[in-house]
Amino acid sequence: MLPWRAMFGTILISVCTFMHVYVFCRASSVPFVERYIPRKIFIATGVILWAIFFFGRIIGHSRTGILAGVLEFLGMNWMAVLFLTFIPLLLIDLITFFGFVMPRLSSYLRGFALLIGMLLSLIALFQGLRPPVVEKYEVSLPGLPDALDGTVIIALSDMHLGSQLGESWLAARIAQVKAHQPDFVVLLGDIFEGHGPPEDQLIDTFKQLSASYGCWAVPGNHESYGRNKIGLFEAAGFTLLNNAWTEVRPGLILAGVEDLTTRRRNGQSGDPISQALAGRPPGATILLSHTPWQAEKAAKAGVGLMLSGHTHGGQIWPFGYLVQKLYPLLDGRYEVDGMTAIICRGTGTWGPRMRLWHPSQILHVTLRGQREKNLLKDMLRQ
């Protein structure tokens, strides 16, 4: 039986090969292509682009260096272009019953679909390459001491450092974080990419980050791929919360769990959320979990705020509709049985450096106590 990672790679290559053949077959019937692009050049272009994708996945995704980086960048972005072109072409084929209805018009409509796919790809590339935005939330946290009202958390997730995103990109993100003067910083997993050792400069850059209440992290699924990268969090100056809790200030508990998707894939039993929360003192509780699963269990256990990542918000529309079937808490803020859950759609990108429609994201969360709410209730009673 193939290992999970090899199986995923085989499925990905197979699906993309199908989309590649489909897109080029349908494009060959577009009048502009038939008239102005010689058949040999058209076929050669298709073969070259498929080879770039294939070697980008095989070589670029398993090695480091300039050649591997270029191959992966081109190959993964071509994969996204295929997807964004495949969708409108398939829609036209479904409307025209694959050309049996309005056969002459359908060929022109396929040309229009190709243009739509290219336009969407350009927008997605722009969104993927631009710096992440800082999105602000205010959360009323039950049990938060009045002295901690206004505490600021900065959360980053899914940076996938070491593949396409390196030291200069990370340095710019550290500068963004510092500008907001957070009380504590949290990493929500998938910080280090699953192939190739991260450069020493990445660790040194992370060490430039500090916060009065500390820097904390939980692992994601990519930290377990290839060489185990769990130890890199502590090397980078972050304290790892792996099924554990800490009291960052009296009355404020921060807990973290290992990646839930990795546990499921490995067939592990146990209850990491209960383990992470067991024995904690009274007070407000924040839970860090890379994967936004078991939110109801966390709420029932008395967690007031859950911060997660992993989903990338779907990254490229309309792929998010499929992702949401597996992860109902996809992107943004949710209220779950009295608990607030905020899902970061990723500070970086995975695979393609492309996003559609929303840019990458850094979370800025301001904690509020119950004092103002209680004062309002007292005023209403009077």
Side-chain angles (χ1 to χ4, degrees):
M1 182 177 179
L2 286 173
W4 182 87
R5 288 276 286 172
M7 185 180 299
F8 173 78
T10 301
I11 293 172
L12 183 66
I13 290 173
S14 300
V15 170
C16 289
T17 299
F18 169 77
M19 289 195 299
H20 187 94
V21 172
Y22 175 84
V23 167
F24 269 83
C25 285
R26 304 320 276 165
S28 66
S29 65
V30 172
F32 178 86
V33 174
E34 288 184 324
R35 293 172 188 168
Y36 299 107
I37 302 179
R39 180 66 57 177
K40 290 183 179 179
I41 292 178
F42 182 77
I43 294 173
T45 300
V47 171
I48 291 171
L49 288 173
W50 182 86
I52 289 174
F53 161 73
F54 180 79
F55 289 110
R57 175 66 194 178
I58 299 299
I59 297 177
H61 198 67
S62 60
R63 301 181 186 178
T64 57
I66 296 176
L67 177 60
V70 170
L71 280 173
E72 183 170 29
F73 178 83
L74 295 176
M76 293 298 98
N77 283 334
W78 175 243
M79 177 182 72
V81 172
L82 278 175
F83 176 73
L84 291 172
T85 308
F86 173 83
I87 296 298
L89 278 173
L90 180 62
L91 182 61
I92 293 300
D93 274 347
L94 292 175
I95 291 173
T96 63
F97 290 91
F98 291 86
F100 289 105
V101 176
M102 301 178 294
R104 186 172 180 180
L105 179 61
S106 64
S107 61
Y108 287 94
L109 290 175
R110 290 189 199 111
F112 179 71
L114 287 176
L115 290 175
I116 292 295
M118 293 301 110
L119 177 61
L120 292 176
S121 298
L122 289 174
I123 295 172
L125 185 62
F126 170 78
Q127 289 281 57
L129 293 176
R130 65 180 289 197
V133 299
V134 178
E135 295 201 15
K136 296 185 177 182
Y137 295 88
E138 285 204 0
V139 176
S140 181
L141 195 59
L144 184 73
D146 292 341
L148 296 178
D149 187 276
T151 295
V152 172
I153 307 169
I154 293 292
L156 306 98
S157 125
D158 300 276
M159 291 197 279
H160 296 277
L161 296 168
S163 174
Q164 296 295 307
L165 302 175
E167 188 271 335
S168 60
W169 183 89
L170 176 61
R173 305 294 74 77
I174 298 298
Q176 275 186 288
V177 171
K178 286 183 174 180
H180 291 269
Q181 300 179 327
D183 293 297
F184 59 99
V185 178
V186 298
L187 302 181
L188 299 173
D190 279 9
I191 303 304
F192 302 101
E193 185 50 76
H195 61 275
E199 300 174 358
D200 292 338
Q201 293 94 323
L202 294 176
I203 304 301
D204 293 337
T205 303
F206 263 126
K207 289 180 179 178
Q208 299 172 18
L209 190 60
S210 62
S212 56
Y213 296 179
C215 298
W216 311 87
V218 290
N221 51 298
H222 276 256
E223 271 79 42
S224 65
Y225 296 160
R227 183 173 65 89
N228 191 291
K229 294 173 173 57
I230 299 296
L232 294 174
F233 287 111
E234 294 186 358
F238 285 76
T239 302
L240 188 69
L241 292 172
N242 207 2
N243 301 336
W245 60 264
T246 185
E247 192 171 26
V248 294
R249 282 294 184 271
L252 180 58
I253 295 92
L254 185 66
V257 296
E258 62 186 304
D259 176 56
L260 301 179
T261 60
T262 302
R263 287 186 63 89
R264 174 178 287 190
R265 189 170 60 249
N266 294 339
Q268 294 173 273
S269 59
D271 186 355
I273 289 182
S274 296
Q275 181 183 341
L277 299 174
R280 73 190 191 278
T285 301
I286 301 170
L287 177 67
L288 311 180
S289 174
H290 176 65
T291 302
W293 281 343
Q294 301 186 22
E296 294 83 1
K297 176 179 287 188
K300 187 176 181 181
V303 173
L305 171 63
M306 176 174 165
L307 298 176
S308 298
H310 185 63
T311 68
H312 289 244
Q315 189 162 321
I316 296 177
W317 176 91
F319 192 66
Y321 295 117
L322 177 60
V323 175
Q324 197 160 27
K325 297 294 183 182
L326 296 174
Y327 306 99
L329 305 185
L330 179 70
D331 175 22
R333 181 174 186 152
Y334 301 85
E335 299 298 326
V336 181
D337 297 337
M339 179 191 75
T340 299
I342 302 176
I343 316 304
C344 179
R345 61 176 171 265
T347 307
T349 54
W350 177 85
R353 289 294 310 279
M354 299 169 74
R355 280 189 173 274
L356 193 70
W357 293 97
H358 301 291
S360 299
Q361 178 187 59
I362 295 172
L363 299 181
H364 178 293
V365 181
T366 303
L367 303 181
R368 297 297 182 190
Q370 300 288 296
R371 184 179 180 182
E372 292 183 5
K373 185 180 290 187
N374 292 335
L375 287 173
L376 180 59
K377 287 181 179 179
D378 291 339
M379 291 175 62
L380 291 174
R381 289 194 191 104
Q382 295 175 0

